[in-house]
Amino acid sequence: MDRIPISYLCGDIKSAVGKIKGSFTEIRLRREKPVIIMRNAKGFFLGKNGELYSLLCGSCLYASGECFDRTFEAVCRYSIHSFQESICSGFITLDGGHRVGICGTAVMRSGNIINVKDISGLNFRVAREMKGCSEKIYNKTFSSGLSNVLIAGAPASGKTTFLRDLARILGSQYKTAVIDERGEIAAVCGGIPQNDVGANTDIFNGYSKRDGIETAVRSMSPDIIICDEAGNDEDFSSFRYAMTCGVKICASIHASCMEDISAKKDFCGEFDYIVFLDKIPGNPFRIVKAVQYDKNGVHNFPNADCGPYGKLFCGQS
C-alpha cells in the first residue's frame, strides 16, 4: 500500500482504504456523500473495514464535512492559498505522481476562473507503474527506429501509465526527454525520479510543454521528447518546433475515436502513428498508421491498420 496516497485521508476513511484488498485506480470523495472506490472502471462503495460493495448499505462510509475539509487541507499541504493556481486548474499533483481532481463553485472574472470556492468533490487518481504494458505498441510503432507517436484515449484509459512505460523503454536506448508538466510521469522528488523512466532520460519537471520542449531541444539534444495531455495550439506548435529540429515526439491526447482526432486535424497529421487506448481495461488497443490529409484538408486514413495487437493493462490516464 506504499504507493497509495492514504496519508492525505483522515479517520475511518484512511483506515478503510488501507484495508482494501487488491488494486484500485481512484478514491472519490464527495462532501457528505458515500466514498467511492474505482476498480476496473467500475465504482464500489467503501465499507468500514475495506469492503467494496456494489450497492449502498449501512456499512458504507461517508465523507463528512469535517473529514472532507481536513483531507483537502492535507492535499494543499495546509496552505490552500499556495495552491490556488492548481485549484483553479482543477487538480493538484501529489508526491509519487498521484493526482487529486477538484470540483466546486467557480469564481469568474473577465471570463477566467480566478478561484474555486465551496469545494465539493475530490478524486484521488492513483499513479501506477505497469512495466511491460507498452511493449507490444513499442514493437509495432518503433520497429524501424524512432517515430512520432500519438497516444489517444478517453479519460482513465491509461494514457499516462502507457507513456511512463514507453519512457522506460525508449530511455534505455535513446536520448529521451520527458516534459513532466504535472509531475505524474516520473514523480520527481528531490531531483530523483520515483518511477523508472529509463537510464538515458532527462526530466523537465514542472515545465510547461512549450518551455520544456524549447529548453530540451536547445540544451539536451534529445532524440525523442515525451509529454502528456496535449490540449491547445501552443502545445501543438511546440511539437512542430521539435519535429522541425529533427526531434521525434511521443505525446498523449484526449480523443476516443477518429472523429475526435479529425477535429484536431491541423496537428494530428504530423504523427506517424496514432494509438487508441480503449477505456475498459482488458480491451484491445488499436493502432492507426499514416494519418494524411486530402487536398481539402480533410482527414484521410489510407490502409488504416485497426487490428488488436495486445491487451491494455489497468492504469491511470
Side-chain angles (χ1 to χ4, degrees):
M1 299 296 293
D2 59 327
R3 297 285 293 180
I4 308 301
I6 62 174
S7 62
Y8 299 89
L9 304 172
C10 69
D12 292 342
I13 296 175
K14 178 178 181 179
S15 176
V17 169
K19 296 176 182 177
I20 295 174
K21 295 180 179 179
S23 63
F24 54 89
T25 56
E26 296 179 358
I27 309 166
R28 305 182 75 98
L29 306 183
R30 299 177 178 93
R31 185 182 296 273
E32 304 292 351
K33 298 291 184 180
V35 179
I36 303 294
I37 302 296
M38 298 299 297
R39 170 181 284 174
N40 296 333
K42 293 179 62 177
F44 297 89
F45 298 103
L46 176 64
K48 297 176 181 178
N49 293 306
E51 310 95 338
L52 299 181
Y53 299 103
S54 57
L55 297 175
L56 190 61
C57 65
S59 297
C60 297
L61 286 174
Y62 283 68
S64 68
E66 179 184 0
C67 183
F68 185 94
D69 289 338
R70 287 171 57 192
T71 299
F72 180 58
E73 290 170 0
V75 166
C76 295
R77 283 69 152 181
Y78 303 98
S79 179
I80 294 175
H81 176 74
S82 299
F83 285 86
Q84 184 171 354
E85 183 176 349
S86 295
I87 294 168
C88 290
S89 298
F91 67 90
I92 292 175
T93 301
L94 307 178
D95 293 341
H98 311 291
R99 182 164 63 173
V100 182
I102 299 168
C103 67
T105 301
V107 179
M108 307 294 294
R109 179 183 296 167
S110 302
N112 298 314
I113 300 175
I114 62 169
N115 195 12
V116 179
K117 64 179 183 178
D118 301 330
I119 305 300
S120 59
L122 299 173
N123 179 24
F124 288 78
R125 299 179 65 178
V126 180
R128 296 187 183 281
E129 287 187 278
M130 301 297 294
K131 292 187 177 181
C133 68
S134 69
E135 287 181 357
K136 290 183 179 180
I137 280 186
Y138 173 83
N139 292 335
K140 186 71 178 179
T141 56
F142 295 100
S143 59
S144 301
L146 290 175
S147 56
N148 296 308
V149 178
L150 186 65
I151 308 298
S157 59
K159 297 187 296 298
T160 302
T161 302
F162 222 82
L163 281 179
R164 187 180 298 120
D165 195 55
L166 276 175
R168 177 185 65 86
I169 298 174
L170 289 165
S172 66
Q173 304 175 62
Y174 302 99
K175 291 183 295 180
T176 302
V178 171
I179 313 304
D180 206 357
E181 189 170 9
R182 299 175 176 87
E184 293 181 290
I185 299 176
V188 170
C189 183
I192 300 173
Q194 306 302 296
N195 295 323
D196 183 358
V197 289
N200 197 13
T201 299
D202 297 303
I203 302 157
F204 293 79
N205 189 54
Y207 283 70
S208 69
K209 295 180 186 66
R210 182 194 67 184
D211 292 340
I213 288 172
E214 290 182 1
T215 304
V217 170
R218 292 171 180 170
S219 63
M220 303 305 291
S221 64
D223 299 316
I224 187 166
I225 291 174
I226 296 173
C227 55
D228 205 2
E229 294 191 8
N232 56 45
D233 291 341
E234 182 176 86
D235 295 341
F236 303 156
S237 178
S238 298
F239 293 167
R240 288 195 183 97
Y241 164 75
M243 291 175 182
T244 58
C245 293
V247 180
K248 300 297 184 181
I249 291 287
C250 182
S252 71
I253 192 170
H254 285 302
S256 57
C257 61
M258 291 290 194
E259 288 74 15
D260 294 341
I261 292 294
S262 296
K264 304 174 178 68
K265 61 180 181 295
D266 289 338
F267 160 66
C268 297
E270 309 283 347
F271 284 82
D272 303 306
Y273 294 91
I274 299 177
V275 177
F276 287 91
L277 303 183
D278 285 337
K279 186 171 183 179
I280 305 301
N283 279 6
F285 57 76
R286 297 155 289 162
I287 299 176
V288 179
K289 298 193 300 185
V291 180
Q292 302 290 341
Y293 306 115
D294 66 19
K295 62 183 179 181
N296 297 316
V298 178
H299 258 88
N300 181 21
F301 296 88
N303 303 316
D305 185 357
C306 298
Y309 291 101
K311 297 292 183 178
L312 173 64
F313 284 72
C314 177
Q316 168 190 351
S317 72

